[in-house]
Amino acid sequence: MAKKAHRRERREQSLSRDRIIAASIQLLDRRGERGLTFRALSERLATGSGAIYWHVANKNDLLTAACDALVVRTMNQTVVTTPKATIRAVALGLFDVIDEHPWVGSALTSALGLSPIVRILERIGQQIRALGVADDEQWAAVGTLMAYILGVSRQNAANRQLARARDLDRSDFLEEVSNAWSKLDPKEYPFVRSVVAQIRDHDDRVDFLAGIDLILMGIDSPRRRRRPRR
Amino acid sequence: MAKKAHRRERREQSLSRDRIIAASIQLLDRRGERGLTFRALSERLATGSGAIYWHVANKNDLLTAACDALVVRTMNQTVVTTPKATIRAVALGLFDVIDEHPWVGSALTSALGLSPIVRILERIGQQIRALGVADDEQWAAVGTLMAYILGVSRQNAANRQLARARDLDRSDFLEEVSNAWSKLDPKEYPFVRSVVAQIRDHDDRVDFLAGIDLILMGIDSPRRRRRPRR
DNA sequence: ACCTGAACACCGTTCAAGT
DNA sequence: ACCTGAACACCGTTCAAGT
């Protein structure tokens, strides 16, 4: 008599950091942020939960690594042309990854000085330099763009997740939001009520790029008080 | 013989949503995001964990409510003067609350259409209107500012938390980041390496306001191609 | 109407023990 | 060196039962 009636078939590939990260991305995509679990992961990888800790420090490390993998992929996909076009491409690339993988948005906050953020800073920074922005203003410019890109992308992703959680598609969701906003007290919320119409049929990606252009315009326009003649 | 040797003294005040929210804020401030627990909360409020569910739908509801309480307070504290000054004041107010209560940053993402976000949109929107921005461009302007404010504040808060977790003060933390960045490959990371010096002695609040001004400049500057003469 | 607290179905992380 | 899986110390949420 065999010791175990039906032993689990052993995984064919041996465990590795990369395989763990790939499985994590799948889990996060398919089941959301709360779907990434050491139990779910070890089941999917046909291993013990403790084995994962041999390749990965902890859950946070795992999340950052998954994030970084996607950021690297995105950066490699954007072609470098003129500075402004490149900035737009990087921005849109990040917007789209976060739209597709909403968990990237929240994970990306975690640590300045950590690789995914640094990669993005570098990419944008090089373009800001190419634009001829003064040395001592480069940091502010890059920081502003960075904050904007992550800020909008994250908010967009949050909305999508909210919609998905309630089984609504994009337009149903916007419908619901604009309905809720229409019911606000017009005395207390005149502005929000006045943009209800705009909310309903706006295009997130277009708005996003409009904001980028707004910031690029600010970067380009003369600092200080008076405008130098051209 | 008494049934219980030392019965727990009963709370003097009866439970209420407000008291629960106040206690949650304290817990979040003192012990961080992971310190908000129904068990910790019920102990602090001298009640059963289930009792809290009578006043609050679930943990997410609780988090949003705590968030909203602080946003309301902040909005009430900012004085309205000129449009741009008001925008700066609102922005700085939010920056500071999030700096002081880092968990507000992450909780604020959650839901468009939910009160704290709507409150902020309204406040900024009214100023954008007062600036005379065209109707169909107001939404983009407000959205950009909003994303920027939340984006930077959140990143700042994340850094502070990271520093606190490692028992470093601000300058030690920046020291560490700039050290790490100095070690990056200069061929791969020329930009990041060139701004290492700026990172070390920059003032977050000043940079933050510089970004706001950058965006306000963009909002003010003529759209389309050509500049109208003044 | 409001509160209690045990019970349920989960977590991340550790670690002695195996190969 | 790498893996196993039980054990530990937690979670959020529910719910019969109490007042």
Side-chain angles (χ1 to χ4, degrees):
Chain A
M1 189 154 92
K3 220 168 182 182
K4 290 180 184 181
H6 54 288
R7 73 194 147 186
R8 207 198 279 184
E9 65 261 43
R10 218 180 181 291
R11 77 194 97 83
E12 342 62 79
Q13 297 170 266
S14 76
L15 216 50
S16 74
R17 197 165 210 267
D18 283 350
R19 264 172 51 73
I20 292 173
I21 291 170
S24 301
I25 292 176
Q26 274 192 22
L27 230 36
L28 285 162
D29 284 348
R30 290 218 243 276
R31 300 193 226 170
E33 246 155 304
R34 296 168 58 197
L36 179 61
T37 281
F38 279 84
R39 269 159 253 258
L41 205 49
S42 63
E43 191 187 353
R44 196 178 196 76
L45 293 167
T47 183
S49 61
I52 296 165
Y53 281 88
W54 184 262
H55 302 275
V56 141
N58 51 43
K59 193 172 179 179
N60 199 55
D61 178 34
L62 187 55
L63 209 55
T64 310
C67 227
D68 198 39
L70 292 186
V71 168
V72 169
R73 198 188 297 167
T74 310
M75 290 303 174
N76 288 342
Q77 278 167 1
T78 46
V79 198
V80 177
T81 55
T82 67
K84 287 200 181 183
T86 306
I87 289 176
R88 279 196 203 90
V90 169
L92 211 52
L94 287 169
F95 183 89
D96 287 339
V97 219
I98 296 178
D99 189 54
E100 228 177 316
H101 313 271
W103 51 272
V104 172
S106 18
L108 219 43
T109 326
S110 48
L112 190 77
L114 240 74
S115 40
I117 299 260
V118 177
R119 272 185 235 283
I120 302 171
L121 284 176
E122 181 63 35
R123 203 46 164 280
I124 295 173
Q126 289 181 8
Q127 308 310 314
I128 288 297
R129 268 182 160 181
L131 274 178
V133 172
D135 279 9
D136 58 339
E137 281 168 6
Q138 290 176 1
W139 177 248
V142 173
T144 306
L145 280 167
M146 186 75 175
Y148 175 76
I149 293 170
L150 295 188
V152 181
S153 302
R154 192 161 15 213
Q155 187 59 54
N156 181 60
N159 291 341
R160 296 260 310 205
Q161 278 186 301
L162 214 75
R164 207 197 298 168
R166 292 204 240 145
D167 257 321
L168 301 170
D169 65 7
R170 214 189 77 89
S171 72
D172 285 341
F173 175 71
L174 289 182
E175 192 69 28
E176 216 185 60
V177 170
S178 59
N179 274 341
W181 287 11
S182 308
K183 278 176 205 127
L184 291 171
D185 180 352
K187 281 202 179 117
E188 244 185 308
Y189 294 97
F191 171 76
V192 171
R193 295 211 27 163
S194 78
V195 291
V196 162
Q198 288 177 54
I199 252 285
R200 200 190 257 106
D201 43 37
H202 79 144
D203 182 327
D204 310 84
R205 292 174 100 238
V206 171
D207 282 7
F208 174 65
L209 281 180
I212 295 280
D213 288 339
L214 209 63
I215 296 174
L216 288 177
M217 252 188 267
I219 291 173
D220 248 9
S221 81
R223 259 133 249 100
R224 316 288 167 208
R225 284 277 147 67
R226 37 193 91 261
R227 309 186 166 184
R229 273 163 277 132
R230 286 233 177 154
Chain B
M1 191 155 88
K3 219 168 182 184
K4 291 180 182 179
H6 56 288
R7 70 190 152 190
R8 207 198 280 183
E9 64 261 46
R10 220 184 178 288
R11 78 193 96 85
E12 345 60 80
Q13 296 170 267
S14 76
L15 216 50
S16 75
R17 198 165 210 266
D18 283 349
R19 264 171 52 73
I20 292 173
I21 292 171
S24 301
I25 292 176
Q26 275 192 21
L27 230 34
L28 286 161
D29 285 348
R30 291 218 243 276
R31 300 194 227 171
E33 246 155 304
R34 296 169 58 198
L36 179 61
T37 282
F38 280 84
R39 269 159 252 258
L41 205 49
S42 62
E43 193 188 353
R44 196 179 197 73
L45 292 167
T47 183
S49 61
I52 296 165
Y53 280 88
W54 183 262
H55 302 274
V56 142
N58 52 42
K59 191 171 179 179
N60 200 54
D61 178 34
L62 186 55
L63 210 54
T64 310
C67 229
D68 197 39
L70 291 185
V71 169
V72 169
R73 198 188 297 168
T74 311
M75 290 303 174
N76 287 342
Q77 277 167 1
T78 46
V79 198
V80 176
T81 55
T82 67
K84 288 201 180 182
T86 307
I87 290 176
R88 279 196 203 91
V90 169
L92 211 51
L94 287 169
F95 183 89
D96 287 340
V97 219
I98 297 178
D99 189 55
E100 228 178 316
H101 313 272
W103 51 272
V104 172
S106 17
L108 222 40
T109 326
S110 49
L112 191 77
L114 240 74
S115 40
I117 300 260
V118 177
R119 273 184 234 284
I120 302 171
L121 285 176
E122 180 63 35
R123 203 47 164 279
I124 295 174
Q126 290 183 7
Q127 307 311 314
I128 288 297
R129 268 180 160 184
L131 274 178
V133 172
D135 278 9
D136 60 337
E137 282 168 6
Q138 290 176 0
W139 177 248
V142 174
T144 307
L145 279 167
M146 185 76 175
Y148 174 75
I149 292 170
L150 294 188
V152 181
S153 302
R154 194 163 13 218
Q155 187 60 54
N156 180 61
N159 291 341
R160 294 260 310 208
Q161 278 185 302
L162 214 76
R164 207 197 299 168
R166 292 203 240 146
D167 256 323
L168 301 170
D169 65 6
R170 216 189 75 90
S171 72
D172 285 342
F173 174 71
L174 289 181
E175 190 68 31
E176 214 184 62
V177 171
S178 59
N179 273 342
W181 286 11
S182 308
K183 279 177 203 127
L184 291 170
D185 180 352
K187 279 200 178 117
E188 244 184 307
Y189 295 97
F191 171 75
V192 171
R193 296 212 25 163
S194 78
V195 291
V196 162
Q198 287 176 55
I199 252 284
R200 200 188 258 104
D201 43 36
H202 80 143
D203 181 327
D204 309 84
R205 293 174 100 238
V206 171
D207 282 7
F208 174 65
L209 281 179
I212 295 279
D213 289 340
L214 210 62
I215 296 174
L216 288 177
M217 254 187 265
I219 290 173
D220 248 9
S221 82
R223 259 134 247 99
R224 317 290 167 206
R225 285 278 146 65
R226 40 194 88 259
R227 308 187 168 184
R229 274 162 278 130
R230 287 235 178 155

